[in-house]
Amino acid sequence: MLGSEIMNYTVLVSWDEEANVWVATSPDITGLVLESESLDILIDRVKNAVPELLELNSLKPANVISYVCHRIQSMANA
């Protein structure tokens, strides 16, 4: 990959405790909003959606997708 520009896009993944789903959005990729009950399935959905969204937004193809995951869980009902 020498001489190639590395295009790294960030995907933010957070747990929606009320809806019981993982939600993926991105500050870099307009239109990326996906959800799933499974984190693994959500990541697969993101990988499938990103190339099309990058093309629609006239962005360069991704070499790297960085996932930033965040989950806060209430202990009140534990």
Side-chain angles (χ1 to χ4, degrees):
M1 194 140 87
L2 221 102
S4 296
E5 184 178 1
I6 296 177
M7 295 307 300
N8 182 3
Y9 296 98
T10 299
V11 174
L12 306 175
V13 179
S14 60
W15 177 251
D16 182 330
E17 189 170 353
E18 188 174 314
N20 276 340
V21 294
W22 288 99
V23 179
T25 59
S26 176
D28 302 325
I29 307 168
T30 301
L32 180 66
V33 180
L34 297 168
E35 64 180 43
S36 177
E37 292 178 2
S38 162
L39 182 57
D40 290 333
I41 291 171
L42 180 63
I43 289 173
D44 284 341
R45 292 184 68 204
V46 168
K47 287 192 284 188
N48 289 327
V50 163
E52 184 175 347
L53 288 170
L54 292 175
E55 186 175 333
L56 288 170
N57 288 305
S58 300
L59 297 171
K60 293 182 180 180
N63 301 75
V64 176
I65 299 173
S66 298
Y67 295 92
V68 178
C69 296
H70 174 186
R71 181 172 180 166
I72 296 175
Q73 187 169 9
S74 171
M75 297 304 290
N77 298 326

